[in-house]
């Protein structure tokens, strides 16, 4: 079993509270224990429908407010505009290549693509193609079959641990837990291990669309009242099958990383 995250009553400090999977808990992984001492989560484990019903009961205007989509802090709603200003290279044309590096099409900027994308590639193909890698330096979009998306090992950077005890002491030969590699994905069983001075996650069943720069968040359960144990940013991802030349080490930064600069 994974170690439980600490709480105020049994450990003397706060950790991210139990939350139903699918909420904003994914974005709390980098919160430190010191910061959590000042935080309170008044909605607790309430769902969005329950929260809206309470808002109606108290006559709050936000009860029926439309859900925000995409990145709400961009005034126009088009993230390509802000990325184009911060990183002009992301909107410059480039090549679309297959797993062997053969040019099979052109694009109008890697800003328009994300790992795992299938639609909107503008390529005629007998079989479905997916974006498996974004090479920002060469402005190349690498595409391949769906099976090329599945990664098994994730190398992390900037790992933050808010679970029970110090990570380096409790990790031992590895910690069994559940991880999310995207906010919309369900947590998957995995092992967290210390490797070569850093940390690596081994996914039990693999995961598609693992993108460098995204967060890999640790939970102690796959659903329900799961607790956030911490997480880190994805540095790179690899697949067990060495036959997939060209997609073994997915290290090119995605758009989120491009924005960070």
């Amino acid at each position: 079993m994974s170690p439980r995250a600490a709480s105020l009553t049994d450990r003397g400090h706060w950790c991210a509270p139990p939350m139903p999977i699918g909420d904003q808990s994914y974005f709390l992984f980098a919160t430190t224990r010191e910061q959590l001492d000042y935080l309170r989560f008044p909605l607790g484990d309430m769902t969005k429908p329950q929260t809206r019903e309470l808002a109606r009961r108290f006559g709050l205007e936000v009860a029926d407010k439309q859900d925000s989509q995409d990145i709400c802090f961009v005034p126009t709603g088009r993230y390509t505009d802000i990325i184009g200003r911060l990183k002009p290279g992301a909107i410059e044309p480039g090549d679309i290549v297959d797993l062997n590096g053969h040019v099979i099409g052109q694009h109008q900027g890697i800003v328009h693509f994300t790992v795992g994308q299938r639609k909107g590639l503008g390529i005629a193909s007998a079989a479905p193609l997916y974006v498996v890698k974004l090479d920002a330096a060469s402005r190349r979009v690498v595409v391949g079959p769906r099976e090329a998306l599945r990664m098994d090992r994730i190398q992390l950077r900037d790992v933050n641990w808010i679970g029970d005890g110090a990570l380096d002491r409790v990790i031992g030969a590895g910690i069994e837990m559940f991880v999310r590699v995207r906010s919309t994905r369900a947590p998957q069983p995995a092992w967290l291990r210390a490797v070569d001075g850093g940390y690596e996650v081994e996914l039990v069943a693999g995961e598609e669309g693992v993108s460098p720069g995204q967060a890999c968040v640790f939970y102690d359960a796959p659903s329900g009242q799961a607790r956030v144990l911490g997480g880190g940013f994805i540095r790179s991802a690899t697949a067990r099958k060495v036959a997939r030349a060209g997609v073994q080490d997915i290290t090119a930064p995605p758009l989120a990383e491009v924005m960070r600069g």
Side-chain angles (χ1 to χ4, degrees), residues 132-150:
V132 298
K133 181 179 180 180
L134 297 176
D135 190 339
S138 62
R139 302 197 303 277
R140 295 197 314 171
V141 175
V142 183
V143 298
R146 182 169 181 172
E147 56 266 25
L149 287 171
R150 184 161 292 275

Side-chain angles (χ1 to χ4, degrees), residues 50-193:
Q50 290 172 330
T51 305
R52 287 188 180 277
E53 182 57 36
L54 276 180
R56 293 188 189 96
R57 185 186 308 174
F58 291 107
L60 302 181
E61 295 181 0
V62 296
D64 297 304
K65 182 179 179 181
Q66 185 177 2
D67 290 344
S68 62
Q69 301 292 331
D70 205 23
I71 45 179
C72 56
F73 58 84
V74 176
T76 64
R78 296 189 299 271
Y79 64 86
T80 54
D81 292 345
I82 189 170
I83 295 177
R85 292 197 298 270
L86 296 174
K87 292 289 182 179
I91 58 174
E92 294 180 1
D95 294 330
I96 300 178
V97 302
D98 62 18
L99 299 182
N100 295 314
H102 300 142
V103 177
I104 58 176
Q106 303 292 316
H107 66 77
Q108 297 303 310
I110 63 172
V111 67
H112 301 294
F113 300 88
T114 186
V115 173
Q117 179 178 334
R118 175 185 173 185
K119 297 181 179 179
L121 301 184
I123 301 174
S125 174
L129 293 175
Y130 298 79
V131 176
V132 298
K133 181 179 180 180
L134 297 176
D135 190 339
S138 62
R139 302 197 303 277
R140 295 197 314 171
V141 175
V142 183
V143 298
R146 182 169 181 172
E147 56 266 25
L149 287 171
R150 184 161 292 275
M151 298 289 125
D152 306 289
R153 294 182 183 275
I154 300 173
Q155 291 73 45
L156 301 176
R157 61 175 175 82
D158 301 327
V159 171
N160 180 56
W161 179 256
I162 50 177
D164 190 10
L167 178 57
D168 290 337
R169 291 187 178 183
V170 302
I171 196 168
I175 304 174
E176 183 181 3
M177 59 177 56
F178 298 86
V179 303
R180 296 171 76 183
V181 297
R182 292 194 178 189
S183 61
T184 56
R185 297 282 178 85
Q188 300 294 324
W191 285 88
L192 174 66
R193 297 188 175 93

